[in-house]
């Protein structure tokens, strides 16, 4: 039962309260004492009070007809008080005797007095037959109704009416009598709270309908007593209006509770959407990484340089086109994760734990494996290109030497098998023997070439040359032929030696010619071979060494020309002596097949090859000079970009530590740095272009810079990630500050304390550093039992994962929780209890009636069935649901 004295609420029959001397009438300025004696007024009072009593008694299944008679035995009076108060009164006496009735009335009056209500001139005798009543009129309604002790109740009810009817035209509530006479004020109150019951815009002041019956409001007022009275009774009006107040105030509480629940659910739904977005983006990024790593780890060697260069171009396209969007997605994913965690902390929700394998650390580990695979793939591509280049060089060298050797051996087998010595003269035999000696000398000179050919073939096999079978077959053929030539040479020598004694005349000049012509011929063949030899160099120094060697060779040409002239002079002298003495000489030198024509022909070939060699060396020198320019160009640009990236990284670190200005100033400063970094990107793109030219030129080292393109790419990506992460941290600090009401001075104090103990500027504090920071802020965490327990509690909040370090964001979250208030699970439970009508459970119908459709269905889908004994079919457990929102249960 409402305590009207203490609560100051309007009572249907309450006046302005007793005066200083306990006289109820002393302070009531507007009471008409003559009106109190008017029988018509008393009749109206009885009628109104009877209706008011019945509005409560009907809840107990009964009612009264005559208050003078129906309350005299005290039974229905006690029942009325139980309905109003919600409490049990002492058991009434059921006897019919007068004493029983007096006792029942006294029990009712004692209960009223126990609630602090003063009863003046009221006793059981006034309500019991045979006992003369005391003034005011015994057994009358006023003798049983307590009067409020303060005028604030009436004024509060009047103020409520004025506030609710203020927007309505033709309504001006100034009192509880004349202002209600035309009925518009009643209609305005009903329309304000239940607009579906009345079309207020169609009402007219001249003849408005008086509200007859409103759901949930007892009909305690007679329209005729209000409309047909010059001055309606104030107490009757207050009784009727107070029923409006109590009926509609409950709806206001339900609306407030529903709004609170909608707010909490909206936050929870938004956070769940952010969690789903994170899971989806993380899954997509991890799937891309898992698809890309096998491609980067694949090793499919090719047989040609163009095929490997195409693979290198595919890798460059991946770096240039496919990877940059994924770098941005990874950065954005980390930002979204930090923002979500901040929102969860600010709304008092538990931290978000992504699905297994989708943590930010899992993505970072996958990204690291991706970059390692990238590095290995690029190194493999370059290594394969070097290998193929080496193989092409060796294969060409093998073919060239094999062709020279095969050209040299052509016809040698036939010549060695010839047995012409049987018909030759002694001189001819000796000539054949000397010729064979020269051939043996020539054969020995070609031994090195055969060994070189075999060595090259072996190296091609070791390097897995794709055409090794044909190389091996050709090499084997050369070796077999070489062995056969050796055997044939030995056999021929034996045959010539057998007939040597028969031959005495030998032409010394021809012999001398042969001896000198053979090595000279070999020298020219070696020179031609060297002049046509393939070469591969990677530096200017190497090509300069080849040019120097070539210049050295050219310096020997004058002496060689003299030797050629001397050899040709021997041949001419032999012919002159033979002609002089009439000696018949063969048409060719019997000791050698190297004729003057051969010498001159080869000499001319040497003269042609020298300028060709000059041109080839000069072209290679030009290419190496171009490569050097590319090295210097890349080195110059890299030496500018590298220090610039490092400087920006250090400046960003200083901005986040030095706390110059407000958080907004720091945020603006960081965004300016971000714009400056984005504007610098063309310098990195230029460097990528220069790096591509370097790779296309097959340049594998650069002494002009310690920076590689891989280092600069990683540095650039770290710079972009660092500036984005730092901006996000400052934005989260602003979000925390604004949401928790932390002042700029508090934020600076927290930052200053944190930075003071962050000695290594790593952005995190160890346990001892964090304890010192807390002590500096006034926390009692000294090295004693109580202080250690408090410190362990705080560490469990700021470092739930037990990493051993406390970030600045975790520090700010802790300080904001310590200094500000937040919504709690208990507040949400109380709000649901209001919607449920003070029950321990709630039904789906009640949720759909009190909440918007989306939030209602959200709750119905997630609430567990209620398991209490007082539940009904379909009852839902709103308590476990509320605690789950704040991480206080496993629902």
């Amino acid at each position: 039962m409402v305590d009207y004295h203490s609560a100051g609420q309007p009572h249907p029959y309450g006046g302005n309260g007793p005066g200083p001397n306990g006289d109820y009438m002393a302070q009531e300025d507007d009471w008409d004492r003559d009106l109190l004696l008017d029988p018509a007024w008393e009749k109206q009072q009885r009628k109104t009070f009877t209706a008011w009593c019945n509005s409560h008694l009907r809840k107990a299944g009964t009612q009264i007809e005559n208050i003078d008679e129906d309350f005299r035995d005290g039974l229905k009076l006690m029942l009325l008080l139980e309905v109003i108060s919600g409490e049990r009164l002492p058991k009434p006496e059921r006897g019919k005797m007068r004493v029983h009735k007096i006792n029942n009335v006294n029990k009712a009056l004692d209960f009223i007095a126990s609630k602090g209500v003063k009863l003046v001139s009221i006793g059981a005798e006034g309500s019991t037959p045979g006992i003369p009543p005391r003034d005011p009129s015994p057994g009358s309604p006023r003798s049983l109704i307590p009067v409020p002790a303060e005028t604030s109740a009436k004024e509060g009810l009047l103020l409520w009416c004025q506030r609710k009817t203020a927007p309505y035209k033709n309504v001006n509530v100034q009192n509880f009598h004349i202002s209600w006479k035309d009925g518009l004020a009643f209609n305005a109150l009903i329309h304000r709270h239940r607009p579906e019951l009345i079309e207020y815009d169609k009402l007219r002041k001249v003849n408005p309908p008086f509200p007859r019956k409103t759901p949930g409001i007892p009909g305690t007022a007679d329209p005729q007593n209000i409309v047909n009275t010059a001055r309606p009774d104030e107490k009757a009006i207050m009784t009727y209006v107070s029923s409006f107040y109590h009926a509609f105030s409950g709806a206001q509480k339900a609306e407030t509770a529903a709004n609170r629940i909608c707010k909490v659910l909206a936050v929870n739904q938004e956070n769940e959407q952010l969690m789903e977005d994170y899971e989806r983006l993380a899954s997509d990024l991890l799937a891309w990484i898992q698809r890309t790593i096998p491609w980067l780890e694949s090793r499919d060697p090719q047989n040609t340089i163009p095929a490997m260069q195409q693979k290198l171009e595919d890798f460059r396209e991946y770096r240039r086109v496919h990877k940059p969007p994924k770098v941005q997605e990874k950065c954005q994913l980390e930002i979204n994760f930090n923002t979500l965690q901040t929102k969860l902390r600010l709304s008092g929700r538990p931290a978000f734990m992504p699905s297994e394998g989708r943590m930010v650390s899992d993505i970072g580990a996958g990204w690291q494996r991706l970059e390692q695979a990238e590095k290995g793939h690029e190194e493999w591509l370059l290594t394969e290109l070097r290998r193929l280049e080496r193989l092409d060089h060796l294969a060409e060298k093998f073919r060239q030497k094999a062709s020279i050797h095969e050209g040299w051996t052509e016809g040698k087998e036939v010549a060695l098998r010839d047995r012409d010595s049987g018909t030759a003269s002694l001189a001819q035999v000796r000539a054949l023997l000397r010729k064979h000696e020269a051939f043996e000398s020539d054969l020995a000179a070609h031994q090195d070439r055969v060994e070189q050919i075999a060595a090259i073939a072996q190296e091609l096999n070791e390097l897995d040359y794709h055409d090794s079978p044909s190389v091996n077959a050709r090499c084997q053929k050369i070796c077999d032929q070489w062995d056969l030539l050796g055997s044939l040479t030995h056999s021929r020598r034996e045959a010539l030696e057998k007939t040597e004694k028969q031959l005495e005349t030998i032409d010394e000049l021809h012999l001398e010619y042969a001896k000198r012509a053979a090595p000279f011929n070999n020298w020219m063949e070696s020179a031609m071979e060297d002049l046509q030899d393939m070469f591969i160099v990677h530096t200017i120094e190497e090509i300069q060494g080849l040019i120097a060697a070539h210049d050295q060779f050219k310096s020997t040409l004058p002496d060689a020309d003299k030797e050629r002239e001397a050899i040709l002079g021997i041949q001419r002298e032999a012919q002159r002596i033979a002609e002089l003495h009439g000696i018949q000489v063969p048409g060719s030198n019997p000791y050698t097949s190297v004729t003057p024509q051969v010498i001159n022909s080869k000499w001319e070939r040497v003269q042609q090859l020298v300028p060709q060699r000059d041109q080839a060396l000069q072209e290679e020198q030009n290419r190496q000079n171009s490569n050097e320019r590319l090295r210097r160009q890349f080195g110059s640009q890299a030496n500018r970009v590298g220090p610039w990236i490092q400087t920006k990284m250090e400046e960003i670190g200083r901005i986040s530590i030095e706390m110059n200005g407000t958080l907004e100033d720091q945020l603006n400063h960081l965004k300016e740095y971000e714009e400056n970094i984005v504007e610098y990107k063309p310098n990195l793109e230029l460097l990528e272009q220069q790096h591509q030219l370097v790779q296309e030129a097959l340049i594998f080292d650069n002494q002009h810079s310690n920076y590689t393109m891989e280092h600069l790419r990683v540095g650039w990506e770290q710079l972009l990630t660092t500036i984005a992460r730092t901006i996000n941290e400052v934005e989260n600090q602003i979000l925390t500050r604004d949401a928790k009401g932390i002042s700029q001075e508090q934020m600076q104090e927290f930052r200053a304390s944190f930075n003071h103990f962050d000695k290594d500027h790593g952005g995190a504090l160890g346990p001892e550093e964090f304890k010192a920071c807390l002590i500096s802020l006034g926390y009692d965490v000294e090295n004693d039992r109580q202080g250690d327990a408090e410190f362990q509690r705080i560490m469990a909040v700021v470092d739930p994962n037990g990493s051993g370090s406390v970030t600045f964001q975790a520090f700010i979250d802790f300080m904001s929780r310590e200094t500000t208030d937040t919504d709690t699970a208990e507040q949400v439970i109380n709000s649901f209890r209001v919607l449920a009508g003070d029950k321990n459970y709630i039904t789906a119908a009640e949720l759909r009636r009190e909440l918007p459709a989306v939030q209602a269905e959200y709750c119905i889908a997630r609430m567990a069935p209620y398991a209490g004994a007082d539940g009904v079919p379909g009852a839902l457990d709103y308590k476990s649901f509320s605690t789950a929102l704040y991480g206080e249960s496993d629902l």
Side-chain angles (χ1 to χ4, degrees):
M1 178 180 180
V2 178
D3 186 350
Y4 295 105
H5 274 80
S6 61
Q9 296 184 5
H11 192 284
Y13 274 80
N16 290 335
N21 299 322
D23 186 355
Y24 285 96
M25 311 298 290
Q27 300 297 325
E28 188 72 313
D29 296 338
D30 56 354
W31 279 20
D32 189 339
R33 295 183 178 277
D34 294 335
L35 186 61
L36 293 175
L37 303 177
D38 185 359
W41 177 87
E42 183 177 356
K43 181 180 179 181
Q44 178 183 344
Q45 292 289 304
R46 288 175 180 273
K47 183 178 181 180
T48 301
F49 180 66
T50 299
W52 179 81
C53 291
N54 284 334
S55 69
H56 293 288
L57 288 173
R58 288 191 189 97
K59 300 177 183 177
T62 186
Q63 63 181 20
I64 62 174
E65 299 294 336
N66 188 314
I67 60 176
D68 290 333
E69 297 298 329
D70 294 343
F71 279 160
R72 287 191 180 276
D73 60 2
L75 293 177
K76 290 189 176 180
L77 179 60
M78 294 179 68
L79 181 60
L80 174 63
L81 292 175
E82 286 184 348
V83 172
I84 294 173
S85 66
E87 300 180 17
R88 298 289 296 177
L89 271 70
K91 184 176 181 181
E93 300 181 10
R94 296 295 180 179
K96 301 295 184 179
M97 299 178 63
R98 180 173 179 275
V99 65
H100 296 144
K101 297 178 181 180
I102 292 175
N103 289 340
N104 287 338
V105 172
N106 280 333
K107 290 178 181 179
L109 297 179
D110 291 340
F111 178 78
I112 294 173
S114 69
K115 298 301 180 181
V117 179
K118 295 182 180 180
L119 302 175
V120 181
S121 300
I122 296 176
E125 296 82 356
S127 301
T128 307
I131 299 178
R134 290 173 287 184
D135 190 48
S137 57
S140 66
R142 281 198 62 81
S143 68
L144 297 177
I145 301 303
V147 180
E150 301 179 11
T151 62
S152 60
K154 176 181 177 181
E155 294 173 356
L157 184 61
L158 182 62
L159 180 61
W160 179 79
C161 294
Q162 291 172 343
R163 186 173 66 253
K164 295 297 182 179
T165 60
Y168 293 84
K169 61 183 179 179
N170 298 327
V171 176
N172 183 17
V173 178
Q174 298 297 327
N175 50 52
F176 286 108
H177 38 79
I178 299 300
S179 299
W180 304 83
K181 181 176 174 59
D182 58 10
L184 279 177
F186 289 104
N187 283 287
L189 278 179
I190 295 172
H191 185 267
R192 179 65 181 269
H193 297 90
R194 298 289 299 276
E196 73 277 8
L197 299 179
I198 296 176
E199 295 182 35
Y200 186 86
D201 293 337
K202 296 182 178 181
L203 301 181
R204 297 293 180 268
K205 186 174 181 65
V206 294
N207 189 21
F210 193 90
R212 291 289 181 177
K213 192 170 185 180
T214 304
I217 301 175
T220 59
D222 188 345
Q224 297 301 323
N225 291 337
I226 296 177
V227 175
N228 297 331
T229 304
R231 186 176 187 274
D233 180 70
E234 184 179 64
K235 305 305 181 293
I237 297 296
M238 289 179 63
T239 300
Y240 197 34
V241 171
S242 66
S243 64
F244 279 73
Y245 173 83
H246 292 293
F248 294 143
S249 63
Q252 182 65 30
K253 292 180 181 178
E255 181 181 356
T256 301
N259 290 338
R260 175 182 288 274
I261 292 174
C262 289
K263 177 183 176 182
V264 172
L265 294 179
V267 171
N268 214 60
Q269 288 173 306
E270 180 185 359
N271 290 340
E272 287 183 355
Q273 185 60 46
L274 290 175
M275 294 175 190
E276 292 175 2
D277 292 344
Y278 173 87
E279 292 282 345
R280 176 176 53 79
L281 291 175
S283 297
D284 293 345
L285 184 57
L286 286 171
W288 178 83
I289 292 174
Q290 291 170 358
R291 290 195 306 271
T292 306
I293 288 178
W295 174 69
L296 293 173
E297 291 178 344
S298 65
R299 299 294 184 264
D300 182 20
Q302 302 296 311
N303 294 330
T304 64
I305 289 179
M308 285 305 300
Q309 286 176 335
Q310 181 58 47
K311 279 187 168 290
L312 182 61
E313 181 59 29
D314 294 342
F315 179 73
R316 291 198 191 102
E317 182 180 3
Y318 155 79
R319 275 268 182 80
R320 185 172 59 251
V321 177
H322 300 290
K323 184 183 178 184
K326 299 303 178 182
V327 173
Q328 183 64 29
E329 287 179 15
K330 174 178 175 289
C331 179
Q332 190 62 44
L333 193 65
E334 293 176 356
I335 291 173
N336 292 348
F337 180 83
N338 293 335
T339 301
L340 172 60
Q341 298 293 39
T342 299
K343 288 186 176 182
L344 289 173
R345 286 192 295 270
L346 295 178
S347 59
R349 271 59 167 185
F352 169 54
M353 290 296 293
S355 302
E356 183 177 359
R358 298 177 184 171
M359 298 287 290
V360 173
S361 59
D362 297 324
I363 295 173
W367 193 264
Q368 185 176 5
R369 293 195 301 273
L370 176 73
E371 292 183 334
Q372 290 174 349
E374 279 183 17
K375 182 178 180 182
H377 192 67
E378 185 175 27
E379 290 175 352
W380 174 76
L381 288 173
L382 297 178
T383 301
E384 279 297 297
L385 283 172
R386 293 191 189 100
R387 185 181 71 85
L388 290 175
E389 183 185 31
R390 175 65 177 167
L391 285 174
D392 284 356
H393 169 71
L394 289 175
E396 183 62 26
K397 191 171 184 177
F398 173 85
R399 288 190 289 270
Q400 185 185 66
K401 287 186 177 294
S403 297
I404 293 173
H405 178 78
E406 289 166 347
W408 177 83
T409 59
E410 185 177 1
K412 295 292 190 296
E413 180 178 347
V414 175
L416 290 173
R417 292 180 185 275
D418 186 26
R419 292 294 180 259
D420 55 351
S421 61
T423 59
S425 64
L426 180 60
Q428 290 175 328
V429 170
R430 286 187 175 179
L432 289 174
L433 184 60
R434 300 296 179 266
K435 180 180 178 180
H436 188 71
E437 290 176 354
F439 173 76
E440 287 181 328
S441 176
D442 194 14
L443 188 68
H446 284 79
Q447 178 69 30
D448 291 338
R449 183 188 296 123
V450 175
E451 292 175 356
Q452 290 175 5
I453 290 172
I456 294 172
Q458 182 179 358
E459 187 172 358
L460 287 172
N461 286 326
E462 291 172 353
L463 293 177
D464 294 330
Y465 182 56
H466 69 280
D467 199 21
S468 290
S470 63
V471 170
N472 292 336
R474 191 173 183 182
C475 179
Q476 186 62 45
K477 182 179 179 181
I478 290 173
C479 292
D480 292 343
Q481 186 187 37
W482 184 257
D483 293 338
L484 179 59
L485 288 177
S487 176
L488 292 174
T489 299
H490 180 70
S491 298
R492 183 172 176 78
R493 183 177 184 82
E494 288 181 345
L496 289 174
E497 287 176 347
K498 289 179 182 179
T499 59
E500 183 181 14
K501 294 180 181 179
Q502 303 171 10
L503 301 173
E504 296 179 351
T505 306
I506 197 166
D507 193 340
E508 293 295 336
L509 290 174
H510 280 184
L511 182 59
E512 184 180 0
Y513 172 88
K515 289 182 178 181
R516 295 182 66 175
F520 185 76
N521 181 64
N522 289 336
W523 176 85
M524 287 190 296
E525 288 182 348
S526 297
M528 288 188 294
E529 182 178 347
D530 291 338
L531 290 171
Q532 298 177 83
D533 191 19
M534 300 291 294
F535 60 85
I536 179 172
V537 296
H538 297 95
T539 64
I540 291 179
E541 289 77 12
E542 291 176 354
I543 189 61
Q544 288 176 346
L546 291 178
I547 292 174
H550 183 60
D551 291 339
Q552 177 65 29
F553 167 77
K554 289 193 294 183
S555 68
T556 64
L557 290 178
D559 292 337
D561 191 41
K562 291 179 181 179
E563 177 65 9
R564 182 182 66 87
E565 290 294 333
I567 293 172
L568 294 178
I570 293 173
Q571 178 66 21
R572 289 191 295 269
E573 181 65 14
Q575 292 176 353
R576 186 187 69 81
I577 294 173
E579 293 172 357
L580 178 63
H581 298 282
I583 299 174
Q584 185 67 36
V585 294
S588 60
N589 193 320
Y591 304 115
T592 181
S593 61
V594 181
T595 65
Q597 292 78 13
V598 171
I599 292 176
N600 288 331
S601 175
K602 291 183 178 180
W603 180 256
E604 290 175 1
R605 180 58 179 161
V606 169
Q607 296 296 313
Q608 293 172 356
L609 291 175
V610 167
Q612 292 178 6
R613 184 72 168 183
D614 288 336
Q615 181 180 358
L617 292 172
Q618 184 60 44
E619 289 175 354
E620 182 61 26
Q621 186 177 33
N622 294 338
R623 189 174 76 88
Q624 290 302 322
N625 288 333
S626 175
N627 289 352
E628 184 65 11
R629 285 193 299 273
L630 290 176
R631 289 189 184 96
R632 292 181 181 275
Q633 188 179 46
F634 175 86
S636 176
Q637 182 71 2
N639 290 337
R640 288 193 297 272
V641 172
W644 185 90
I645 292 175
Q646 182 64 30
T647 300
K648 292 302 177 184
M649 290 286 287
E650 295 172 355
E651 290 174 353
I652 292 170
R654 286 197 299 272
I655 292 175
S656 61
I657 292 175
E658 292 174 355
M659 304 182 304
N660 292 328
T662 64
L663 289 176
E664 285 75 11
D665 293 339
Q666 296 178 33
L667 182 60
N668 292 335
H669 198 184
L670 287 170
K671 288 184 176 180
E672 291 175 2
Y673 264 81
E674 187 178 39
E675 293 176 358
N676 179 258
I677 290 170
V678 172
E679 292 172 356
Y680 196 79
K681 187 177 181 180
N683 291 277
L684 195 72
E685 294 174 344
L686 174 61
L687 197 61
E688 286 282 7
Q689 297 172 1
Q690 294 172 349
H691 179 66
Q692 180 174 348
L693 294 176
V694 168
Q695 286 193 327
E696 290 173 351
L698 299 179
I699 300 173
F700 305 114
D701 54 15
N702 192 342
Q703 70 275 20
H704 301 295
S705 176
N706 293 326
Y707 294 100
T708 67
M709 195 65 237
E710 179 65 24
H711 294 158
L712 295 175
R713 287 194 197 104
V714 172
W716 178 256
E717 293 174 0
Q718 289 179 347
L719 180 61
L720 293 177
T721 301
T722 299
I723 187 65
R725 185 183 297 115
T726 305
I727 289 175
N728 178 249
E729 289 176 355
V730 175
E731 289 174 341
N732 285 340
Q733 292 174 24
I734 293 174
L735 185 63
T736 301
R737 181 199 66 191
D738 295 341
K740 301 298 185 178
I742 301 175
S743 66
Q744 182 66 31
E745 291 75 17
Q746 286 178 307
M747 186 64 75
Q748 289 182 344
E749 179 185 5
F750 295 159
R751 189 54 162 165
S753 299
F754 187 93
N755 288 345
H756 177 76
F757 294 98
D758 186 13
K759 304 298 184 183
D760 60 353
H761 304 297
L765 300 180
E768 294 301 320
E769 294 172 334
F770 180 60
K771 177 183 283 190
C773 183
L774 290 177
I775 294 174
S776 71
L777 293 173
Y779 281 82
D780 185 13
V781 289
E782 295 292 341
N783 293 327
D784 54 33
R785 186 172 184 180
Q786 181 177 358
D788 289 340
E790 176 64 8
F791 181 72
Q792 293 303 319
R793 180 191 70 81
I794 296 174
M795 282 297 294
V797 173
V798 300
D799 185 23
N801 297 326
S803 63
S805 63
V806 180
T807 64
F808 181 69
Q809 185 62 46
F811 175 70
I812 287 297
D813 291 341
F814 169 74
M815 296 305 299
S816 64
R817 284 196 296 271
E818 293 291 306
T819 56
T820 59
D821 295 327
T822 58
D823 290 337
T824 64
E826 187 64 28
Q827 291 176 323
V828 178
I829 291 174
N830 291 335
S831 298
F832 273 115
R833 183 178 289 113
V834 171
L835 299 187
D838 208 32
K839 300 190 297 295
N840 291 325
Y841 60 86
I842 194 168
T843 65
E846 289 171 332
L847 288 170
R848 292 190 176 102
R849 185 181 67 243
E850 301 294 346
L851 298 178
V854 175
Q855 280 77 14
E857 297 305 323
Y858 178 84
C859 293
I860 293 170
R862 287 164 174 76
M863 282 188 180
Y866 179 71
D870 56 339
V872 299
L876 300 174
D877 188 354
Y878 62 79
K879 292 183 180 179
S880 63
F881 173 77
S882 301
T883 56
L885 291 178
Y886 290 85
E888 299 177 8
S889 76
D890 297 329
L891 184 61

